[in-house]
Amino acid sequence: MTVEKKEIRIAVTDGMLIPSSKDKTLVSAWMISLCIAIGSILYLCISQPQPYYEILKFLPDGILVTFQVTITSILVTIPIGLITGLGRLSKNKVINLIASTYVEIIRGIPLLVQLFFLYYALGKFIQLSDLASAVIAMSVCYGAYMGEVFRAGIDAIDKGQTEAARSLGFNSRQTMMLVVLPQAWRTILPPVGNEFIALLKDSSLISVLAVSELFRRGREYASVTFEYFEAYLMVALIYLCITLLLSKAVSIMEAKLNYYDEQ
Amino acid sequence: MLKKTLLTLLAVLMTANVALAGKTIVIAHDATWPPMEFVNKDKQIVGYSVDYTDAIAKELGLTIEHKNVAWDGIFAGLANDKYDMISSSVSITEERKAKYDFSEPYFEVKQAVMLPVASEAKSLADLKGKTIGGQIGTTGVFVAKKDGGVTPKEFDEVGHAVEALYTGRIDAAICDDVTAYDYVLNNEKYAGKLKVAFIVESDQKEYYGFVVKKGNKELVDLLNKGIKAIQEKGIEKALREKWVGK
């Protein structure tokens, strides 16, 4: 037995084996929700192809745009959040002040207002494409929230870790990159996943920029056929499916990180 | 207890549907469509349709209430009994007639395309491959979609489409001719920058009508009576001169 266990340990530290979740229960809330969402879509489309299947056929390009905006925004948000978080912790007063001001201002203005401002008000001075305005507004807004998450996560790491690293001869950049951040990532990941899901859902707000994302596609359908209930039900179910998949992705990442704790 | 609550609820629901007489008729407007219905500087809902419904109410001795509602979902609100009728420059179309009931027509419109003054396009064909903005779910957007050559872009409000045209995000904007003329002639910001370039010719005439829930014959009859009275007394002509000119 002991020998076997040792082998697994070596494999894991080499990064060969994807650790499975410790949770061995067959039914999880996540699974039930996904089954309800997919089951409802299938049931509706099969039992009433008119209008549900028609709506489903109308939405794919909208789903694609929602994905595009969300994924690009997430990728842009992470570095913004990291820089802001580190800036907020910086001992350099100027950097600290810039980062803090950014967080205070952006966090205080609703995303919808920011979108209108960037698209209609600033349109007078700079012309950005629809998708670019959407991505910029989303990532600037969520970067501020993410900055706070990063700051809290980094702050939560015991000071002793930094002291130990410094006394071993690491410089401050090495300490942050090699010692503090890898540990902080574990605390940061759950709230970051939360922000990702919120970002995905808030991408529906960019429909005010006349960008044909998922929600706007549903509205366009309803505006012609007046089938409001059917169209918005379908849109809601599709959003649910996407967010559930995203939350699963985050929880898999969490399980990977926490695996080492449970040894 | 539950039974009692249910009974009371039932009673309320039943009385809510009884007869219009004596009851305030709530009228929904999407007040973003000058000069037909819009919010003025004093934050009041004003415009041709608003005065028109006020005149009808005066003729028939009805009490009415104006309500500002977003266009996207204005029909859903009617279906859900949030208000009794819509007076919001709604063009009478076959698709809409299948779901809702209309009064007699009270105004004729055409679809007008707005362009920057420098542009030389003379028809939708000249705009092939360009983007044309309009308000979501309006006849203007339907016309743009039907044409096929242009890319329609559906904004929440016609004002957003006009602003997007002004800042150069889109190449053209389409809406009812009265509204288009109001934007290019009466709006200080857009006057001289934008123009009504052409009217989209259609074999079918387009009219505004008041919308009520399917089967609400009582209200339709009342409205038709009111429209007739207003047309015969020349009030319609006076209102036209006041808001539309010509």
Side-chain angles (χ1 to χ4, degrees), chain A residues 41 45 51-67 212-222 230-239 242:
Chain A
I41 293 177
C45 286
Y52 289 106
Y53 185 56
E54 290 299 315
I55 299 170
L56 196 66
K57 278 197 297 189
F58 196 78
L59 299 174
D61 44 350
I63 299 175
L64 207 69
V65 175
T66 294
F67 266 129
S212 285
E213 45 72 69
L214 179 53
F215 183 41
R216 169 127 317 230
R217 272 272 172 261
R219 288 166 78 179
E220 282 170 11
Y221 188 90
E230 294 85 347
Y232 295 150
L233 177 65
M234 214 58 181
V235 168
L237 287 172
I238 292 173
Y239 268 117
I242 304 174

Side-chain angles (χ1 to χ4, degrees), chain A residues 58 116 118-120 122-124 126-130 133 207-212 215-216 219-220 223-228 232, chain B residues 71-76 93 95-96 99-100 136-138 142 145 153-156 159-161 163-164 166-170 189:
Chain A
F58 196 78
F116 269 98
L118 190 72
Y119 194 80
Y120 294 107
L122 280 188
K124 208 171 167 182
I126 37 163
Q127 287 293 317
L128 296 163
S129 77
D130 300 340
S133 341
S207 77
V208 298
L209 311 185
V211 175
S212 285
F215 183 41
R216 169 127 317 230
R219 288 166 78 179
E220 282 170 11
S223 77
V224 181
T225 58
F226 307 110
E227 280 153 354
Y228 295 96
Y232 295 150
Chain B
W71 172 259
D72 185 23
I74 201 168
F75 292 101
T93 65
E95 294 80 13
R96 286 171 181 165
K99 296 258 179 183
Y100 308 94
I136 184 168
T138 57
F142 297 159
K145 276 185 179 167
K153 203 157 165 49
E154 304 187 37
F155 290 84
D156 279 12
H160 293 171
E163 176 66 21
Y166 176 72
T167 52
R169 262 179 220 288
I170 52 175
K189 187 175 172 188

